[in-house]
Amino acid sequence: MPKRRVLIYCGIFDDELAQALEPLREEYEILSLRLKPGYHCLIEELEAQLEKALQSDLIRDKSEARLFIGSACLPNMKEFAARHGAKLLPTENCLTAMVGRAKLLELERNKTMVATPAWIRKMFLDAEGVMDFMRWDETDFRINFGRYERVLVLETTAYPSDEEILRTFELFGGNAVIEPLPCSLDSFNEMVREFMA
């Protein structure tokens, strides 16, 4: 009989997580509660959304709950997860989940930002209304991201279209070079497998 898991996850992981979970579906009954991307910028709201998700009727036993959220997305995330008896993703954020902490620090040198296709679509281009939700406009975007001269987009899923890249370039004030970076999901997939156990 498949083990039951209730995955509470950030929507920034939609595509990568769908791929990683597919081979595990015979071993696990996987139920999901999706949080909108961007809550890491609204700490109190993130905690409230996590509290609400952890009270879901889908969770029959605390040992079923899996918080697929970076441990640094909420200042007290580790304590929060422990208090609720939920297993927490063993990495700081979505980018360290993809490439690891050491590689991310190396990639982020020299005014370089690292993003995923989901960051481009869902956060930067506001596919889910995140900018309104965070009450940001283009000026806020430039204040927060305008210091970057280069954006490396990890090719974890379908790379953004030329139009999406152009719109992102404009958001960065026409200053940042945007480049693809091949990215294997092997370590991410293995992390998901271990996390579900």
Side-chain angles (χ1 to χ4, degrees):
M1 182 169 173
K3 297 175 224 166
R4 199 167 190 275
R5 296 291 181 258
V6 181
L7 196 62
I8 300 166
Y9 77 99
C10 175
I12 207 73
F13 288 112
D14 284 335
D15 297 334
E16 294 89 355
L17 200 49
Q19 290 178 28
L21 291 175
E22 194 54 42
L24 304 177
R25 294 204 178 270
E26 287 184 25
E27 189 176 347
Y28 298 100
E29 175 192 359
I30 304 168
L31 304 163
S32 297
L33 295 167
R34 180 188 188 272
L35 301 184
K36 187 175 190 169
Y39 277 119
H40 67 282
C41 294
L42 301 166
I43 303 300
E44 290 163 3
E45 188 64 23
L46 173 57
E47 189 162 357
Q49 290 296 319
L50 289 171
E51 289 277 3
K52 182 179 175 185
L54 285 162
Q55 292 171 18
S56 168
D57 291 341
L58 293 178
I59 301 172
R60 297 178 190 158
D61 183 284
K62 288 183 177 187
S63 67
E64 297 173 345
R66 297 289 183 274
L67 292 177
F68 207 87
I69 306 276
S71 62
C73 292
L74 189 67
N76 63 340
M77 185 65 91
K78 290 180 182 177
E79 294 82 8
F80 177 89
R83 187 169 72 245
H84 288 281
K87 190 171 181 178
L88 177 63
L89 189 65
T91 190
E92 290 99 334
N93 56 50
C94 54
L95 297 171
T96 58
M98 300 300 165
V99 297
R101 189 169 195 277
K103 181 71 171 174
L104 183 62
L105 289 173
E106 176 189 322
L107 293 172
E108 289 181 330
R109 292 183 183 157
N110 303 319
K111 297 184 180 180
T112 299
M113 178 181 194
V114 178
T116 63
W119 265 88
I120 298 289
R121 293 184 179 107
K122 297 176 184 181
M123 297 291 290
F124 297 166
L125 301 181
D126 210 20
E128 295 194 29
V130 173
M131 295 294 191
D132 288 340
F133 156 71
M134 295 189 317
R135 296 177 286 287
W136 277 22
D137 59 20
E138 287 186 16
T139 302
D140 295 312
F141 184 94
R142 287 198 178 118
I143 288 169
N144 283 279
F145 296 108
R147 68 185 178 276
Y148 295 107
E149 295 175 0
R150 184 176 177 220
V151 180
L152 292 176
V153 182
L154 302 175
E155 293 182 293
T156 56
T157 57
Y159 193 72
S161 68
D162 290 346
E163 180 188 341
E164 290 170 324
I165 292 297
L166 180 59
R167 288 174 54 208
T168 303
F169 178 74
E170 289 168 354
L171 262 179
F172 276 83
N175 296 323
V177 174
I178 301 171
E179 302 173 36
L181 182 69
C183 181
S184 166
L185 286 176
D186 292 347
S187 62
F188 177 81
N189 293 342
E190 185 56 34
M191 180 187 67
V192 171
R193 174 175 290 284
E194 291 174 7
F195 181 68
M196 295 299 281

